[in-house]
Amino acid sequence: MRLILLGPPGAGKGTQAKILVDAYGIPQLSTGDILRAAIADKTPLGLEAKAIMDRGDLVSDTIVNGIVSERLDAEDCKPGFILDGFPRTIPQAQALDGMLADKGIALDAVIELTADADELVRRVIQRSKDSGRTDDNPEVIRKRLDVYKESTAPLVDFYSAQGLVKTVDGMAPVDEVTASIKSALGK
């Protein structure tokens, strides 16, 4: 099973990815987690990424594409994977299509989690209190939502044209969202 989870910040992509990892025994590839690990380790890339993320902007495609391509080659990705937070732009999606074609693999589905913007701000503020993430504050969240609408939301049309999109209401309780995803995947 090779999946992409799409949705605005706070829509539940990370939560659902963890549940699907357990259900299908495939790894979650979260560029956010990879970048946060680099930030915590204070690597040069991590420090650069932190400055970008703290402004609410996206890390460059060159950095992200390289990280993802290397990760897709890992042994644990052979049976499948869940991409969470990548791709975020049409150029990244095109690069991913090229990577997958070069590796001789294809996506099974793109799950779009939909959510209300005001509820997302509330959720992300709560996540910030729970996790201590410095990039989760109301101003940055609103900017990230704007960036999502402009740069990432067009991916729904991109992947719909390939017949891959399954839309799920991300505002439902977690277990209902999971059931809807599994139903959309025919599982």
Side-chain angles (χ1 to χ4, degrees):
M1 178 80 46
R2 294 173 182 95
L3 304 173
I4 293 175
L5 294 180
L6 285 180
K13 297 180 303 293
T15 299
Q16 291 303 317
K18 286 173 181 38
I19 293 168
L20 296 171
V21 162
D22 291 339
Y24 299 119
I26 56 177
Q28 171 191 10
L29 308 183
S30 169
T31 53
D33 288 347
I34 294 166
L35 290 171
R36 279 189 288 278
I39 290 167
D41 293 342
K42 297 186 177 175
T43 66
L45 175 63
L47 295 174
E48 181 181 351
K50 182 179 183 345
I52 293 166
M53 290 168 63
D54 283 350
R55 289 193 309 265
D57 292 329
L58 298 176
V59 177
S60 77
D61 286 354
T62 303
I63 294 168
V64 176
N65 292 345
I67 289 170
V68 171
S69 183
E70 288 178 2
R71 185 67 181 92
L72 291 175
D73 291 334
E75 192 62 34
D76 66 335
C77 289
K78 298 284 187 241
F81 51 80
I82 300 165
L83 286 168
D84 165 20
F86 181 87
R88 289 188 184 205
T89 64
I90 296 292
Q92 284 182 351
Q94 292 166 333
L96 177 62
D97 281 357
M99 281 180 231
L100 295 176
D102 290 347
K103 297 171 190 307
I105 56 179
L107 292 170
D108 292 299
V110 174
I111 304 297
E112 176 199 18
L113 295 176
T114 60
D116 173 73
D118 290 333
E119 175 62 15
L120 290 176
V121 171
R122 189 198 64 72
R123 281 185 183 183
V124 176
I125 290 169
Q126 185 60 49
R127 179 176 76 184
S128 176
K129 290 176 187 172
D130 295 343
S131 70
R133 280 181 53 176
T134 60
D135 60 321
D136 285 344
N137 65 63
E139 297 78 30
V140 170
I141 294 162
R142 294 246 181 237
K143 181 168 183 181
R144 286 170 57 204
L145 288 172
D146 289 342
V147 169
Y148 175 82
K149 284 180 206 168
E150 181 180 312
S151 301
T152 307
L155 292 175
V156 174
D157 290 336
F158 179 84
Y159 285 115
S160 289
Q162 297 178 35
L164 292 170
V165 175
K166 315 284 186 198
T167 301
V168 173
D169 177 8
M171 301 303 294
V174 171
D175 58 338
E176 289 179 27
V177 174
T178 303
S180 294
I181 291 171
K182 288 181 177 180
S183 175
L185 295 173
K187 303 287 182 188

